[in-house]
Structure formats: structure tokens, C-alpha cells
Amino acid sequence: MNKKNFYKHPYLTLLAFSALFALISIFYINVGDLQHDYMFHLGRLAGLVQSFEHGDFLPNLNFAFTSGVGYASPMFYGNWQLYLPALLYLLIPNVLVVYTFYAFLLTYALACSMYFTVVKIGHRPKRALTAALLSTMVLTWFGYGMTMVAAFVPLLVYAMYKVLYQNKTNPVLLGVIIGLLIQTHLLSTMVLAFSCLIFVLLNIKRWTVPKIVSFVQSAGIGLVLASGFLIQYFEQAGSQTFFFHWTAREYPFKISQLLRTFPLIQSIFRSPYVPMILVLIFLLTQFKKMSSLSRQLVIVCVITFLLQTNWIPGISHLKQTPVMVLQDLRRISFFVPLLVILACALSMPLGINRLALILQTIFYVLGPLLANLPTADAFETIAYHQKVFDQSISDPDQASFTASGGEYFTVDINPANTIADSFGIFTDLNNVEISNIEKGYNSLEFDYRVLDESQPGSFIAPRIWYKGYQIEYSNGGLGSQPALKKIPPTEEQIALYKEKQKPAVDEEVLYDGKISLDVQGQGHIRLYYQKTGWQIFGFILETIAWIILGFYCLWKYLAYKAKPNSRLEIWMENVQERGMKLRAKITQSLKKNAA
């Protein structure tokens, strides 16, 4: 591809670069980020593959985790980005290939998003392409949940820019971004909402009633587009107290390690994107020369970055507040490098942007890339991942994925039990005998017999209870519905829970939140999960919303194509916008000379 085509076909260029980047980084992608949640996301992918194999394309539970007891990750953590990798795995059953493909999709989406945003705002294709290439190498933790929303960050800035700067109050784009963000990673959505709040406050002089209404409409559209996920989420969150409700829990990290702050210099050089922090420092020296938008992005970067340092007093006291859900304050500044790239591309010359690209490339090659070469240990780790992946689908009793922080278990879970070999077996058999056990996807079947029929029998089934579990009795079987076994906490326990900031509950859940059953006589039982009425309503509502959106976009596209002079009008608008910027610069320069 010659230089002319390189810029003439930017999305094709970015496609080729993203594929090359994923290929070169294949060992870093699959081995280099194990300190985060690589195995958790691999488990999510395995569970989705298993559900596809059984014809379930909208699963509620994941049976690839914790001995196949059924973990509710799909109901709390949107799966939509994993669909293409899961489908690919059905064709090419290789973990190395499929997870690398997943990283490629995230990389390409971010690159396209960055290019589109810079071109639309700055009208500088060469800067935009440089920024897009640069963006692919700054957030490369593909085992980290926040990386999955990176592609939405530039688009989020563009959507707000259209409203605040261009007075275009069409709320659809921002609404779509909000809807997809919610269904990708809720914690990232909250972090970005905080950054957006700062940005909007910095533009308070630009506020008008139509703009405020547009933002409110966008929020409404986003909520409707995510209604299936949200209704499901809140229904489950209201059915019991989960482990994630306990923000001050001592797992998987000690409370002393949470919300830690560090000196500024240490925060800069322990950052995984040091070159971008250095670019941010450079931008501060050029602050007055930058556009209004770039200055505001820089301010957002500075505020969010400083929040992880000891420059902000009182951060330690936030351990008593819901902010604890962040656990690590570096989450607040995770998207800073993308905002830095945007600010630089929109205000700095092409040479500065290319220099930033060179610095980040050197940093990435000498760091993550060279630290994860194709060694014997790397191949052994990948082989282990493949083994666990396959067995978690075919026989999770033999091997399965751990549930990372265990957030979607009951608040009374003992995390150590979830990795024990006994977690996937029947326990606490009282006056009952279990036989002929058959475990399948979303199905647990077995025979039971009460030993002394004058007394009821009871036992704990190897399935985690969530609202929606159903039971079928046959062959004369009779008993209770799936439920949690609970007892009132003692006064000592209540005092201890208060000391540890554990959510107050009227009853303590036993047996790690597994299903408890009381039975009579003898018979056959089948346990399975079924979508609730609210879940069905939510997904119907969301499906209708996306269909309406699709027809709306088609209508707008046809209306655009029907305009004979639409391209000319857009070109004239761009010329007028550039003329206004040039007049503003000349006026500012004349004022300085006069002073």
C-alpha cells in the first residue's frame, strides 16, 4: 500500500495494522496479562461457547465456572462483545486463535473510533490516522474489563462535542453509546460518567435548555436500549444480597490495599502508559495555545489522574463510602491516555503526534512485547488454558474456571469453598439418598429416596440459587421449590459484620448460596434455570428498541442520500467552520499584539 492509499483508505489501513498488532502481540495477549482477569474472561467465553452448543443464545448462567454450579456472570456482565469470538471457536476450537481474535476486535474498534472522532472534530486525516495508530498501543490489558469499553471513549467525547460545541441536539448517538456501555462494563460506565460530569461542568457557559434536554433524552434512550440487561440486573440484585454489595470485603484484596494513593512522581512512573503522561505534561506547557476542547480534555485528565495520588486529601476516608466499589483508584484515570491522544491530535502539529507515536511504540516494544516472547513456559501456559477451556465445557467437575472475585455469589459466600473439589457435589444429606446423577447444560437430574418416610428429607444441591430456578418432580416425587437455606445471625455476628462494614441482613445464607431442597417419599428431580417474566419483558422491550433504532437510522440514511447537494452542503459547513476557527485565531493574535 503506497503512501496515497495509506491515507485514502484509513479504515482498511487500520484493519491491516490491528491484525498485524494482534499477531505480533499474540503471546502478550494470551500470557502477559494474567495478573488481571484473563482467566475470568476466558471462562466467560467458554460458558458462551457451551451455551451456543446447546442452542442457548441468550444465557443467564455460565456453567464453565466453579465446578459447573451455574454462575450468574451473564446477568451482571454483558456478553455481547464475546459473541463473535464464541462463534469463531465453534469453527476453530483453539483458545490462542480465538482470544487473539477478540483482542483484534477490541483494537480495531478503538482505532476506528479514534480516527472517526479526530476527523469529525479536527478535520485532519493525517493526525487522525496517527492518533488511531497510537491508541492501539496504550490500553493493552486484554484481561482487564475496562479495556473492553475503550472504543467508546472517543465516540463519547464526539457525542458531547456535537451537543455542546456544534449545537446539534440529536440525542441518538450518545444514547446508543450509553446503552452499549452499560451492557459492556458497569464500573467503566460509572468512571466515564464521572469524567463526563467534569467535562460538562467545564462547559457550563455553553449550557442551554435544549442541550440539557438532549442529554436527558440520550440517557433515556440509553436506558431503554439496555433495558433487558438492566431489568435482569436489578431483579437479581434485589432478590438477595450479593458479594459485590459488600464493597469493603477482604477478598480478593485486603482492605488495606484498597483505594491506596501514591506520591505524584511514583504515580507517573508506575503508570502502564508513561509516554502518554509525559505527553500530558507537554500539553500543559502548551495549554494556552490549544483549542478550548483540548484544554478541557487536559483538565479532565489532570483531575482524574491526581485523584490517585496523595495530592488530594481525604481519599482514605472514602473507604466508608460506595466509592469503595472502585477498589483501585487507578481505575478513575484508566482512560486518561485516550483523552491525551485526543487533545494532542486536535491541537498539536502532526510532528508532535508522530513523536508521541514513536515514543509509545518504543515503550510497548521494549516493555510488554519483549517481556512476552514465545518461550517454553508460554506454550505450556497456553496449553493449560486450552485444557481448562475444553474441560470446563465437557466436564467441569474435572476442571473449571474460578469466579475471580466471586462478586455474583451470595454475600455470605466463603470464597475458599468455591475452589474446593467438593463444591460441585451434593452436601448435607439428611435422611435422603441421591442416585443416578446426570449433569448437563442448565440441567441437573437425579433420583432421590427418603430413608425414613415418617420424616422429611433434605439436602443441598450443587447449584447456586438465583431467582428463576425451577424444579420438576416426577415418578412420585414431592417436595419444596428451590430456595436458600437461611438462619438469623447471632448478636456476635451482627457486631462483627458491622465492624467489617458488611451489609446488614436479617438472615444469614448458608451453604454458600446453594439450592436447598426438602423432599418426601422418593422420585426423580430435574433442576433448571428459566427466564423470569420480568427478564422476558425486558428483552422484548430492548429488542423492540433496537429494531426501532435500526429503522430510524435507515430512514435518516435514505433521507441523506435523497439530498442531491448533501455532500456539497457538508463541504461548505466544514469550510465555514474552518473559517470561523481561523478568524478566531487572527482576532486573538491581533488582541495580543495590541496588548
Side-chain angles (χ1 to χ4, degrees):
M1 183 180 291
N2 59 39
K3 186 174 181 180
K4 182 178 179 180
N5 290 332
F6 187 78
Y7 292 109
K8 187 177 180 180
H9 305 286
Y11 294 107
L12 185 61
T13 298
L14 294 175
L15 178 69
F17 179 84
S18 299
L20 179 63
F21 174 82
L23 184 63
I24 292 173
S25 307
I26 189 168
F27 288 95
Y28 172 61
I29 291 168
N30 290 276
V31 180
D33 195 24
L34 300 183
Q35 77 271 22
H36 292 117
D37 283 335
Y38 173 87
M39 293 300 285
F40 173 71
H41 296 299
L42 200 60
R44 292 175 60 216
L45 180 59
L48 194 59
V49 169
Q50 184 187 40
S51 70
F52 284 1
E53 289 178 343
H54 290 84
D56 185 358
F57 293 94
L58 197 61
N60 296 89
L61 301 178
N62 186 318
F63 294 92
F65 286 110
T66 57
S67 302
V69 296
Y71 191 52
S73 59
M75 292 196 282
F76 295 96
Y77 210 128
N79 266 343
W80 70 275
Q81 286 184 323
L82 297 174
Y83 272 57
L84 285 179
L87 290 172
L88 178 63
Y89 191 87
L90 297 177
L91 300 174
I92 307 174
N94 185 288
V95 167
L96 183 69
V97 171
V98 171
Y99 206 88
T100 302
F101 173 69
Y102 175 53
F104 156 75
L105 292 178
L106 296 178
T107 302
Y108 183 55
L110 173 57
C112 291
S113 169
M114 183 63 72
Y115 178 85
F116 175 84
T117 299
V118 175
V119 163
K120 284 293 185 179
I121 297 177
H123 310 289
R124 295 288 189 273
K126 291 185 178 180
R127 288 192 208 170
L129 193 60
T130 303
L133 297 176
L134 174 56
S135 68
T136 63
M137 289 181 283
V138 294
L139 299 182
T140 56
W141 288 349
F142 296 106
Y144 197 56
M146 298 186 76
T147 304
M148 299 171 189
V149 307
F152 296 111
V153 176
L155 293 176
L156 193 59
V157 172
Y158 174 62
M160 292 189 296
Y161 169 83
K162 285 183 64 179
V163 176
L164 293 170
Y165 280 78
Q166 297 183 325
N167 301 318
K168 296 179 180 179
T169 55
N170 187 333
V172 174
L173 176 60
L174 182 56
V176 170
I177 294 169
I178 292 172
L180 291 175
L181 270 175
I182 290 171
Q183 298 188 79
T184 305
H185 195 236
L186 279 173
L187 191 59
S188 296
T189 305
M190 291 186 285
V191 169
L192 287 172
F194 176 72
S195 297
C196 289
L197 177 62
I198 298 174
F199 180 77
V200 171
L201 290 175
L202 291 173
N203 283 281
I204 194 169
K205 292 183 178 180
R206 300 177 186 272
W207 288 10
T208 63
V209 172
K211 292 177 182 179
I212 294 174
V213 170
S214 178
F215 283 133
V216 173
Q217 290 175 334
S218 294
I221 291 172
L223 293 176
V224 173
L225 291 175
S227 55
F229 176 80
L230 288 174
I231 289 174
Q232 174 179 257
Y233 180 97
F234 286 114
E235 182 185 35
Q236 291 299 325
S239 67
Q240 61 175 302
T241 305
F242 285 96
F243 204 37
F244 67 80
H245 287 124
W246 187 5
T247 56
R249 60 188 180 273
E250 291 271 356
Y251 184 86
F253 307 106
K254 295 295 183 183
I255 194 74
S256 59
Q257 296 178 297
L258 302 181
L259 300 188
R260 296 173 64 192
T261 59
F262 298 89
L264 178 61
I265 299 300
Q266 186 177 348
S267 296
I268 291 174
F269 289 102
R270 71 193 291 267
S271 165
Y273 36 79
V274 174
M276 293 302 98
I277 301 302
L278 298 179
V279 172
L280 175 60
I281 294 172
F282 169 77
L283 293 179
L284 288 172
T285 66
Q286 307 295 310
F287 192 77
K288 292 184 178 180
K289 299 179 182 179
M290 295 190 297
S291 67
S292 174
L293 176 61
S294 292
R295 288 199 298 267
Q296 290 169 354
L297 293 176
V298 167
I299 292 172
V300 173
C301 290
V302 171
I303 292 174
T304 52
F305 187 81
L306 288 179
L307 284 174
Q308 67 175 318
T309 72
N310 57 10
W311 277 37
I312 308 297
I315 292 293
S316 60
H317 297 297
L318 294 178
K319 290 184 178 182
Q320 312 297 324
T321 71
V323 176
M324 274 289 287
V325 71
L326 291 172
Q327 295 187 335
D328 189 342
L329 285 173
R330 288 177 296 178
R331 291 180 186 270
I332 299 176
S333 61
F334 184 76
F335 301 110
V336 160
L338 299 182
L339 300 182
V340 169
I341 293 171
L342 276 173
C344 188
L346 294 173
S347 291
M348 292 293 106
L350 179 61
I352 297 297
N353 285 272
R354 287 177 172 171
L355 179 60
L357 174 60
I358 292 171
L359 288 175
Q360 184 62 42
T361 302
I362 294 172
F363 183 81
Y364 180 73
V365 170
L366 297 182
L369 208 56
L370 291 183
N372 293 276
L373 296 174
T375 62
D377 288 342
F379 282 106
E380 184 177 340
T381 300
I382 292 168
Y384 170 74
H385 293 166
Q386 185 71 57
K387 177 183 177 181
V388 175
F389 194 97
D390 292 337
Q391 289 191 342
S392 70
I393 296 175
S394 61
D395 188 5
D397 283 330
Q398 296 298 318
S400 59
F401 292 92
T402 60
S404 188
E407 290 90 345
Y408 315 129
F409 288 122
T410 175
V411 71
D412 294 306
I413 187 74
N414 181 349
N417 292 342
T418 65
I419 59 176
D421 294 336
S422 59
F423 198 63
I425 66 174
F426 288 86
T427 58
D428 202 42
L429 274 63
N430 179 28
N431 191 34
V432 69
E433 181 181 68
I434 305 295
S435 60
N436 299 326
I437 302 170
E438 293 184 10
K439 294 182 178 181
Y441 175 77
N442 192 23
S443 178
L444 175 63
E445 296 191 55
F446 53 92
D447 295 325
Y448 78 90
R449 183 174 68 87
V450 175
L451 301 178
D452 181 0
E453 295 192 4
S454 64
Q455 301 290 331
S458 64
F459 57 90
I460 302 301
R463 287 290 185 268
I464 300 297
W465 183 87
Y466 298 102
K467 188 172 183 179
Y469 252 106
Q470 305 294 320
I471 189 169
E472 289 181 0
Y473 289 96
S474 58
N475 298 339
L478 186 64
S480 63
Q481 291 297 307
L484 294 168
K485 189 78 170 180
K486 300 179 181 180
I487 59 171
T490 64
E491 292 185 5
E492 291 79 8
Q493 287 176 316
I494 293 174
L496 180 62
Y497 295 163
K498 186 176 182 180
E499 179 184 341
K500 292 188 174 183
Q501 303 177 50
K502 187 176 181 179
V505 292
D506 296 329
E507 295 179 299
E508 180 183 4
V509 175
L510 304 180
Y511 303 109
D512 298 312
K514 292 180 184 177
I515 290 175
S516 173
L517 290 173
D518 296 322
V519 293
Q520 300 174 15
Q522 61 180 345
H524 185 78
I525 288 177
R526 176 174 175 254
L527 271 173
Y528 62 97
Y529 188 90
Q530 181 175 292
K531 284 181 173 58
T532 67
W534 277 111
Q535 288 172 352
I536 294 172
F537 167 76
F539 284 117
I540 290 176
L541 177 62
E542 180 173 332
T543 301
I544 292 173
W546 282 103
I547 291 174
I548 292 174
L549 175 66
F551 278 112
Y552 171 79
C553 292
L554 178 62
W555 172 71
K556 293 290 287 185
Y557 174 76
L558 294 176
Y560 167 78
K561 296 294 288 185
K563 290 182 179 180
N565 297 323
S566 57
R567 293 179 181 269
L568 178 61
E569 290 172 358
I570 292 173
W571 179 79
M572 292 180 65
E573 286 181 4
N574 291 338
V575 170
Q576 289 175 358
E577 187 174 346
R578 292 182 187 181
M580 291 174 64
K581 289 182 179 180
L582 181 61
R583 279 199 301 273
K585 288 183 179 180
I586 293 173
T587 303
Q588 187 177 6
S589 178
L590 291 174
K591 287 182 179 179
K592 286 183 178 179
N593 292 334

